[in-house]
Amino acid sequence: MTAGSPAAGDDDEGGIRSALGGLTTRGRSFLAAGVAAALCAVVLGQSDLLRVGLLLAVLPLLCVAVLYRTRHRVAGSRLLLPSRVPAGSEARVHLRLDNVSRLPTGLLMLQDHVPYLLGPRPRFVLDRVEPGGRREVSYRVRSDLRGRYPLGPLQLRLNDPFGMCELTRSFSAADTLTVIPRTEPLPPVSLPGDATGYGDGRQRTLALAGDDDVIPRTYRHGDDLRRVHWRSTARYGELMVRREEQPQRPRCTVLLDTRRAAYRGAGPDSAFEWAVSGAASAVVHMLERGFSVQLLTDTGTSLPGGGDGPAGSPQESAGLMLDALAVVDHSDGTGLSRACDVLRGGGEGLLVAFLGDMDEEQTAVAARMRRRSGSAVAFVLDSGLWTADGAVDDAVLARLREAGWTAVPAGPGAALPGLWREAGRERAHPAPAGTTGPSGRWS
């Protein structure tokens, strides 16, 4: 929850000037009529008219003073639940207004600043709030486009009972709604790389290869005394135990092609958004399978949250990567060579790539990527598939398959879980080049 506070620069002198500037047409008319009546009373020597003029002039000024005091005695806060939602899902914003003064407020209008992509700007009219009272309202926000959207500042419009003055107060507190890509649960199929741990097996490094190769560590409370290594204990002068067999997490690299020239169209149903959503689904799936995941773009940048990083748990790693994918945008690059250079040192693990349009040169670069990884699966989003009468470029798929990729074309409306199964079947029974279904799936 974020609490509201007066906006910066709300000093006394500036606040009084802004309060006087909040006089409504009625208030200005009363003030002008009062001054005119007072001047006429002085000229004509009419004391009764002078009293009327002073009353007319003082009434709007009194309303200004009351509202000016009230505006510093109202506190606002906002609670956003949840602060991270998938695209197309709703979040609820709770607003709370507290009257911390000893006087009741007049009619209040509450307004929160919301980007137009999240919906219309919410406005609420609140009746009189008693001293120490509280009012709570809420509204929903929803976006089909991923990104980070600021909420706030909260604005409060105060009116006096006579309609003489209207003041607006802005609170400084703001929140951020993070809209992450939609993810789909993927089936546990057998993909290339399962020999390194995708299925039930795991690579393991043995700490104890023989009595002379033992790697001991200091005894910790709770260690089994049967694991005490007496020779090391005698050598180091403190109790030492054998290290347990340590599992080595299998590795997976998810490559997202973000080149602007590789995609056509925009919006939630565009090819690029499908690729971002697919990369997010693959990241979450592989982390749940116990992989150490690296998320890479065509620029050679590794997005934060890798499984071997400081994030720790797979849930935290997935959260960091999804936050990064929430704001990823097109790159101005024209090739995949930088990503290929990053993969140069890798010789094991699974590579899952989401690729856009590929010409002959970029297809050759992708072929080199395959030689620098253990095994590779590519989901190719050829722009031809995302047009009315387009077709996949069979030459690109054939070249990728020749290089050892498991290449699957992805067309508009194709479900990633189905394509994921097709990739598993393609590994077991490779399909001839150019064999595609009408939706871009393997037939």
Side-chain angles (χ1 to χ4, degrees):
M1 176 179 290
T2 56
S5 59
D10 226 1
D11 56 8
D12 289 340
E13 183 180 354
I16 294 175
R17 285 199 301 266
S18 64
L20 290 175
L23 285 171
T24 62
T25 302
R26 179 184 299 178
R28 295 175 187 273
S29 300
F30 267 66
L31 182 60
V35 172
L39 291 176
C40 292
V42 171
V43 173
L44 300 176
Q46 297 291 327
S47 59
D48 292 337
L49 183 59
L50 179 60
R51 295 189 188 95
V52 173
L54 292 177
L55 177 62
L56 293 176
V58 169
L59 182 59
L61 296 178
L62 184 61
C63 292
V64 169
V66 172
L67 282 186
Y68 178 70
R69 179 177 175 81
T70 303
R71 74 197 298 262
H72 293 283
R73 296 291 184 175
V74 178
S77 61
R78 181 191 302 103
L79 179 62
L80 175 61
L81 293 176
S83 60
R84 178 198 290 155
V85 295
S89 300
E90 291 184 343
R92 183 167 289 273
V93 183
H94 300 269
L95 303 177
R96 192 179 75 183
L97 200 69
D98 295 279
N99 182 12
V100 296
S101 71
R102 298 179 181 179
L103 298 175
T105 68
L107 189 67
L108 304 177
M109 190 179 82
L110 204 61
Q111 175 179 279
D112 206 7
H113 283 264
V114 173
Y116 72 94
L117 288 175
L118 297 183
R121 181 171 296 178
R123 293 182 175 91
F124 304 93
V125 177
L126 305 179
D127 292 332
R128 173 180 176 274
V129 182
E130 65 279 1
R134 173 186 299 174
R135 297 291 185 271
E136 295 183 0
V137 293
S138 64
Y139 64 92
R140 293 176 296 179
V141 290
R142 178 181 183 272
S143 176
D144 292 327
L145 288 175
R146 57 188 175 80
R148 288 182 182 154
Y149 299 95
L151 301 179
L154 183 64
Q155 283 190 342
L156 179 65
R157 186 176 298 174
L158 302 94
N159 295 290
D160 67 281
F162 301 102
M164 299 288 182
C165 184
E166 182 178 272
L167 296 182
T168 300
R169 173 185 175 183
S170 294
F171 298 93
S172 59
D175 287 281
T176 300
L177 174 67
T178 302
V179 181
I180 60 176
R182 282 188 290 260
T183 59
E184 299 180 90
L186 302 181
V189 300
S190 176
L191 288 177
D194 58 357
T196 63
Y198 184 77
D200 296 330
R202 288 286 190 275
Q203 285 185 341
R204 294 183 178 270
T205 57
L206 298 180
L208 182 60
D211 193 50
D212 295 333
D213 298 325
V214 66
I215 304 177
R217 64 168 175 82
T218 306
Y219 174 84
R220 299 178 188 144
H221 179 71
D223 285 339
D224 190 348
L225 292 177
R226 289 176 296 181
R227 292 174 45 222
V228 173
H229 191 257
W230 297 109
R231 181 178 298 180
S232 298
T233 299
R235 177 179 179 183
Y236 294 104
E238 58 180 328
L239 204 58
M240 307 292 289
V241 296
R242 295 182 178 90
R243 291 183 184 270
E244 292 180 339
E245 190 177 84
Q246 300 293 331
Q248 180 178 343
R249 297 178 65 185
R251 295 184 178 183
C252 173
T253 299
V254 178
L255 173 62
L256 175 62
D257 183 6
T258 63
R259 294 174 297 138
R260 188 180 304 275
Y263 300 94
R264 300 178 189 175
D269 297 326
S270 63
F272 180 66
E273 294 301 323
W274 192 97
V276 173
S277 178
S281 301
V283 163
V284 173
H285 178 74
M286 302 310 289
L287 285 172
E288 290 176 349
R289 291 281 166 179
F291 275 71
S292 173
V293 179
Q294 178 188 23
L295 181 57
L296 187 67
T297 66
D298 58 288
T299 61
T301 303
S302 294
L303 300 185
D308 292 333
S313 67
Q315 292 78 10
E316 293 174 340
S317 299
L320 289 174
M321 292 188 184
L322 291 178
D323 287 346
L325 287 173
V327 295
V328 71
D329 201 357
H330 289 289
S331 69
D332 295 328
T334 58
L336 302 172
S337 57
R338 292 184 180 178
C340 184
D341 293 338
V342 173
L343 295 172
R344 179 175 301 175
E348 295 180 356
L350 175 64
L351 173 61
V352 180
F354 294 84
L355 306 174
D357 280 350
M358 304 279 289
D359 56 19
E360 184 176 350
E361 179 182 356
Q362 301 312 315
T363 305
V365 174
R368 292 198 300 271
M369 288 185 191
R370 168 62 185 86
R371 291 194 295 269
R372 295 171 182 177
S373 64
S375 50
V377 179
F379 299 95
V380 183
L381 287 78
D382 195 305
S383 291
L385 287 173
W386 295 79
T387 58
D389 301 320
V392 68
D393 190 348
D394 294 336
V396 172
L397 296 178
R399 181 72 180 274
L400 291 176
R401 294 193 203 106
E402 290 175 0
W405 285 85
T406 300
V408 180
L416 183 59
L419 299 182
W420 197 263
R421 291 190 185 92
E422 294 293 342
R425 286 197 289 267
E426 172 62 16
R427 173 181 179 265
H429 306 287
T435 305
T436 62
S439 64
R441 303 185 187 184
W442 290 102
S443 58

